[in-house]
Amino acid sequence: MKVYNFSAGPSTLPRQALEQAQKDFLDYNGSGMSVAEMSHRSKVYEEIHNEAISLLRELMGINDDYYVLFLQGGASTQFEAVPLNLLVKGRADYIVTGNFAKKAYKEAKKYGDIALAASSEDKNFTYIPDVDKIEFRDDIDYVHITTNNTIFGTKYNKLPKVKTSLVADMSSNILSEVMDVNAFDLIYAGAQKNIGPAGLTVVIVKKELVNNPMPICPTMLRYAIQAENNSLYNTPPCFSIYMSMLTFRWIKSMGGVKEIQKINEYKAGLLYDFIDNSDFYVNPVAAEDRSIMNVPFVTPDKDTDALFVKEAAANGLVSLKGHRLVGGMRASIYNAMPVEGVKALIDFMKKFEKQQR
Amino acid sequence: MKVYNFSAGPSTLPRQALEQAQKDFLDYNGSGMSVAEMSHRSKVYEEIHNEAISLLRELMGINDDYYVLFLQGGASTQFEAVPLNLLVKGRADYIVTGNFAKKAYKEAKKYGDIALAASSEDKNFTYIPDVDKIEFRDDIDYVHITTNNTIFGTKYNKLPKVKTSLVADMSSNILSEVMDVNAFDLIYAGAQKNIGPAGLTVVIVKKELVNNPMPICPTMLRYAIQAENNSLYNTPPCFSIYMSMLTFRWIKSMGGVKEIQKINEYKAGLLYDFIDNSDFYVNPVAAEDRSIMNVPFVTPDKDTDALFVKEAAANGLVSLKGHRLVGGMRASIYNAMPVEGVKALIDFMKKFEKQQR
């Protein structure tokens, strides 16, 4: 069955990348080997590794002031690696705009004097606090934000002005719209939304920031160690990196992040417009803070939500169930979700609504 | 070109597993999705996850006293996770039989009173110390060993008798021969040799051992956290786990570890016999301590070694270069290396020797 996969992550990958990987699965580039089984010290793998890094630099406009690291352990590992590497004065401020932002804040509290600079939990994270009104403490090492909130469907459209380093968990909207990397000092992202299969975590970090890890920081979480070794200190997740390279090539072939952003805005626009013009479906997010990657919505009641999820799946629209913290539905429409997928969802929503009336 | 891949890791995967993965790459089990892109919370992925765990339990005879965890970060991360989780008294003894054993020892020293119980570094790790002669300290939390030494081509044939917990890095010989899991309290292994693609680390740990991590142990390195969540605390490396499941199925189809061991002994026997009967090739390892997974060897001089590696590759026998700490060549002949691959190597060795005379 033809399926559109709306999973929040791991999530749909570009068809072109999957087909290429399938074609080359037993014999990559005439090597006689699968990428899944080749030495990470071989020339053939090294080319994949370096192409992935340089494509990401090109697509995001990452200059030589930054390292690009390919790590393991997911964003959850970065919730700890960030304070363990960046706390020098021992103080940082966090803006909590969702579940993962809150986790990042809680984990960091183990390692220093961490303050909650602002939160949108008062309204179940349905908005982004006005960044111009947030007062950060003096003498902090960094401010941490989560640029897109997967569960709640919000995103920052304006960055807080910070006197110190700005750190961002960009897991669910990296590469989805043009961002000025220079506005950040550290960006991290789990691969499994807009980059590639789960198992890879990308860290983009200002070179000057990696040299003062806390003494208790495990070797394997030290950015400097992986930076010195081009992310080959130990065996990297080679196959995930390879698939990511294929995704980066696909983004480039689409015209880069600028063009991808236009498509994403178009896709999200179709869906939000439909919801806003409906008196059956509701999206609870403040209009100006809406994510273009994750669109939560509900029907008039929970039983109908459950029926929607079930019938949608039967119609090839899968993984639409919302997170338990929000309920209802969530359509994750990352880069690789084709326009046709969003249109098919809207068509189904229309049909379902009619059926329920 | 038909290739035999002798890489020490990532290393050759069972052809049957690769072909199955290729076949199902775009549409796993009628789901309409690749395993590389499906939600880790979906039923279809959950079945893969749980089959992988239960097959590993079955193949190794792991009983309910142990957790089986699927983690990230490689064995190198376990060099730190082990002391961070297991040091309660704060003391442990290490036997150092190779480069990775030494790294494990060095990393552990950061976290407690760690002693070198024995080492074979005096003879460049070409033997395993007599375990019956090693005296361990009292009041230690555990003894750490490396059951097979990838770089040096040695393995333990007898385990040290310990009054406390025995911890083993089994990265390069897990599933290669029958081992009594009950003789160990914690086993860890990077997947990329006998299990699956890089990016997955297997930890098998006695349940009673996970409840006293050191306070500085990061959440993401705590065994208890992943144990409580069936290794789904955060997104696991789904595709690597899937490929590992396919490898486990293959081992089972071959008759299990017992039968695989016979084939491994046969393959290693062929190669060692040939080397021992040659006056051109030399393996430096004490005969009784030889690995059946990694076979290092040299020709009479370094230039000839370099020529060997080059010409072997031209003949489809790749990744035979020895580690820089040993030089010469190393044939890694893990489970998935077919007998034909070892025979092809021996044929080439004969031809090459004749050519050099």
Side-chain angles (χ1 to χ4, degrees):
Chain A
M1 183 171 63
K2 169 91 180 163
V3 148
Y4 290 112
N5 169 18
F6 293 92
S7 169
S11 44
T12 197
L13 292 170
R15 189 75 187 178
Q16 200 172 311
L18 288 171
E19 283 174 355
Q20 185 70 48
Q22 183 184 43
K23 189 169 155 283
D24 295 342
F25 198 73
L26 296 179
D27 182 3
Y28 177 74
N29 224 356
S31 66
M33 293 177 279
S34 175
V35 177
E37 59 180 352
M38 56 176 61
S39 170
H40 61 302
R41 307 285 180 203
S42 64
K43 203 168 163 249
V44 56
Y45 174 71
E46 216 176 318
E47 280 171 11
I48 293 169
H49 192 85
N50 291 333
E51 182 179 339
I53 293 172
S54 76
L55 278 174
L56 185 60
R57 282 192 180 274
E58 183 184 339
L59 291 171
M60 291 185 70
I62 305 165
N63 68 36
D64 278 347
D65 295 343
Y66 295 83
Y67 291 119
V68 172
L69 307 179
F70 287 167
L71 308 178
Q72 296 185 58
S76 296
T77 298
Q78 295 308 311
F79 296 166
E80 300 181 273
V82 164
L84 283 165
N85 279 280
L86 262 50
L87 287 178
V88 175
K89 296 168 188 156
R91 291 155 56 93
D93 287 4
Y94 278 63
I95 304 181
V96 170
T97 50
N99 193 46
F100 291 107
K102 197 172 170 181
K103 277 194 177 178
Y105 167 61
K106 276 192 181 169
E107 292 292 357
K109 279 173 86 87
K110 298 192 311 203
Y111 302 110
D113 169 13
I114 309 297
L116 185 65
S119 166
S120 54
E121 197 167 9
D122 58 338
K123 293 184 184 165
N124 199 30
F125 300 124
T126 50
Y127 71 102
I128 299 290
D130 182 349
V131 294
D132 291 334
K133 290 191 180 146
I134 301 172
E135 285 183 28
F136 300 105
R137 298 181 299 169
D138 289 329
D139 277 329
I140 55 174
D141 290 305
Y142 62 88
V143 168
H144 182 283
I145 64 169
T146 309
T147 52
N148 185 83
N149 298 279
T150 326
I151 295 175
F152 302 92
T154 62
K155 74 155 178 146
Y156 284 74
N157 282 306
K158 193 176 176 185
L159 295 176
K161 285 195 183 64
V162 302
K163 286 179 215 154
T164 173
S165 299
L166 182 62
V167 173
D169 176 356
M170 216 178 264
S171 294
S172 51
N173 71 336
I174 191 167
L175 293 165
S176 70
E177 58 180 288
V178 176
M179 304 234 206
D180 178 12
V181 170
N182 296 307
F184 301 90
D185 298 87
L186 190 154
I187 292 167
Y188 63 92
Q192 66 270 19
K193 296 165 199 296
N194 268 334
I195 296 176
L200 171 66
T201 316
V202 169
V203 172
I204 300 158
V205 57
K206 272 239 174 94
K207 288 179 177 174
E208 66 203 44
L209 283 182
V210 306
N211 297 316
N212 298 295
M214 292 174 67
I216 61 161
C217 181
T219 302
M220 283 297 293
L221 299 188
R222 290 177 187 230
Y223 299 136
I225 296 281
Q226 291 290 359
E228 281 161 22
N229 291 280
N230 192 29
S231 302
L232 290 159
Y233 175 72
N234 68 334
T235 316
C238 305
F239 191 78
S240 294
I241 292 170
Y242 160 68
M243 288 292 307
S244 302
M245 178 200 77
L246 294 177
T247 301
F248 299 155
R249 280 188 189 167
W250 171 76
I251 295 174
K252 192 174 167 177
S253 78
M254 297 291 285
V257 176
K258 201 174 146 189
E259 294 303 314
I260 286 280
Q261 174 173 357
K262 286 182 200 162
I263 303 169
N264 286 334
E265 285 169 348
Y266 175 70
K267 288 187 298 184
L270 286 180
L271 189 50
Y272 283 122
D273 283 351
F274 172 73
I275 291 170
D276 289 345
N277 288 320
S278 147
D279 52 7
F280 185 75
Y281 300 104
V282 174
N283 166 281
V285 174
E288 66 278 17
D289 298 328
R290 282 172 168 177
S291 168
I292 57 170
M293 296 281 101
N294 311 98
V295 182
F297 60 94
V298 291
T299 69
D301 64 80
K302 280 181 185 178
D303 288 348
T304 310
D305 289 346
L307 187 67
F308 182 100
V309 171
K310 202 180 144 192
E311 295 207 352
N315 282 274
L317 307 169
V318 305
S319 287
L320 275 164
K321 194 178 176 197
H323 193 277
R324 63 184 158 72
L325 295 174
V326 175
M329 282 67 69
R330 171 180 46 179
S332 293
I333 49 174
Y334 297 116
N335 288 353
M337 172 61 67
V339 173
E340 294 72 27
V342 176
K343 287 187 173 167
L345 172 61
I346 293 170
D347 285 347
F348 174 79
M349 289 170 81
K350 284 181 192 163
K351 210 177 71 184
F352 183 82
E353 180 181 349
K354 224 175 256 174
Q355 193 185 292
Q356 296 303 308
R357 294 284 180 180
Chain B
M1 180 171 62
K2 169 91 177 161
V3 148
Y4 290 111
N5 168 18
F6 294 91
S7 168
S11 44
T12 196
L13 291 169
R15 189 75 187 179
Q16 201 173 307
L18 288 171
E19 283 172 354
Q20 185 70 48
Q22 183 185 43
K23 189 170 153 283
D24 296 342
F25 198 74
L26 295 181
D27 182 4
Y28 177 75
N29 224 358
S31 67
M33 292 177 278
S34 175
V35 176
E37 59 180 353
M38 56 176 60
S39 170
H40 61 301
R41 308 283 180 204
S42 64
K43 205 169 161 246
V44 55
Y45 174 71
E46 217 176 318
E47 279 171 11
I48 293 169
H49 193 85
N50 290 332
E51 182 178 339
I53 293 172
S54 75
L55 278 174
L56 186 60
R57 282 193 180 272
E58 182 184 338
L59 291 170
M60 291 184 72
I62 305 165
N63 67 38
D64 278 347
D65 296 342
Y66 296 83
Y67 291 119
V68 172
L69 307 178
F70 287 167
L71 309 177
Q72 295 185 59
S76 296
T77 297
Q78 295 308 312
F79 296 165
E80 300 180 272
V82 164
L84 283 164
N85 279 280
L86 264 49
L87 286 179
V88 176
K89 296 168 187 158
R91 290 154 57 92
D93 286 4
Y94 278 63
I95 305 181
V96 171
T97 51
N99 193 47
F100 291 107
K102 197 172 169 181
K103 277 194 177 177
Y105 166 62
K106 276 192 180 169
E107 292 292 357
K109 280 173 85 87
K110 297 193 309 203
Y111 303 111
D113 168 14
I114 309 297
L116 185 66
S119 165
S120 54
E121 197 167 9
D122 58 338
K123 291 183 183 166
N124 199 30
F125 299 122
T126 50
Y127 70 102
I128 299 291
D130 181 350
V131 294
D132 291 334
K133 290 192 180 145
I134 301 173
E135 286 183 28
F136 300 106
R137 297 181 300 169
D138 289 329
D139 279 329
I140 55 175
D141 290 304
Y142 64 88
V143 169
H144 182 282
I145 64 170
T146 310
T147 52
N148 185 85
N149 298 279
T150 326
I151 295 174
F152 302 93
T154 62
K155 73 154 177 143
Y156 284 74
N157 283 305
K158 194 178 177 183
L159 295 175
K161 286 194 183 64
V162 302
K163 287 178 217 157
T164 173
S165 299
L166 183 62
V167 173
D169 176 357
M170 215 177 263
S171 294
S172 52
N173 71 338
I174 191 167
L175 292 165
S176 71
E177 58 179 287
V178 176
M179 304 233 206
D180 178 13
V181 169
N182 296 306
F184 301 90
D185 298 87
L186 191 154
I187 292 167
Y188 63 92
Q192 66 271 17
K193 297 164 199 292
N194 269 333
I195 295 177
L200 170 67
T201 316
V202 170
V203 171
I204 300 157
V205 57
K206 272 238 174 93
K207 289 180 177 173
E208 66 202 46
L209 283 182
V210 307
N211 297 316
N212 298 294
M214 293 174 67
I216 60 163
C217 181
T219 302
M220 283 297 293
L221 298 188
R222 290 177 187 229
Y223 299 135
I225 297 280
Q226 291 289 0
E228 282 161 21
N229 292 281
N230 192 29
S231 302
L232 290 160
Y233 174 72
N234 67 334
T235 316
C238 305
F239 191 79
S240 293
I241 292 171
Y242 160 67
M243 289 292 307
S244 302
M245 179 201 76
L246 294 177
T247 301
F248 299 155
R249 280 188 189 168
W250 172 77
I251 295 174
K252 192 173 167 177
S253 77
M254 297 291 284
V257 177
K258 202 174 143 189
E259 294 303 314
I260 285 280
Q261 175 173 357
K262 285 182 198 163
I263 302 168
N264 286 335
E265 285 170 348
Y266 175 71
K267 288 187 299 185
L270 285 179
L271 188 50
Y272 284 122
D273 282 353
F274 172 73
I275 292 170
D276 289 345
N277 288 319
S278 147
D279 53 6
F280 185 75
Y281 300 104
V282 175
N283 165 282
V285 174
E288 65 278 16
D289 299 327
R290 281 172 167 176
S291 167
I292 58 171
M293 295 282 100
N294 312 96
V295 182
F297 60 93
V298 292
T299 69
D301 63 80
K302 281 180 183 176
D303 288 349
T304 310
D305 288 347
L307 188 66
F308 182 100
V309 170
K310 201 181 145 192
E311 295 208 349
N315 282 274
L317 308 169
V318 306
S319 288
L320 276 164
K321 196 178 176 196
H323 192 277
R324 64 187 156 71
L325 295 174
V326 174
M329 280 69 69
R330 171 179 46 178
S332 293
I333 49 174
Y334 297 116
N335 289 353
M337 172 59 67
V339 173
E340 294 71 28
V342 176
K343 286 186 173 165
L345 172 61
I346 294 170
D347 285 346
F348 174 79
M349 289 169 81
K350 284 180 191 163
K351 212 177 69 183
F352 182 82
E353 179 182 348
K354 223 175 253 173
Q355 194 184 293
Q356 296 303 308
R357 296 283 182 182

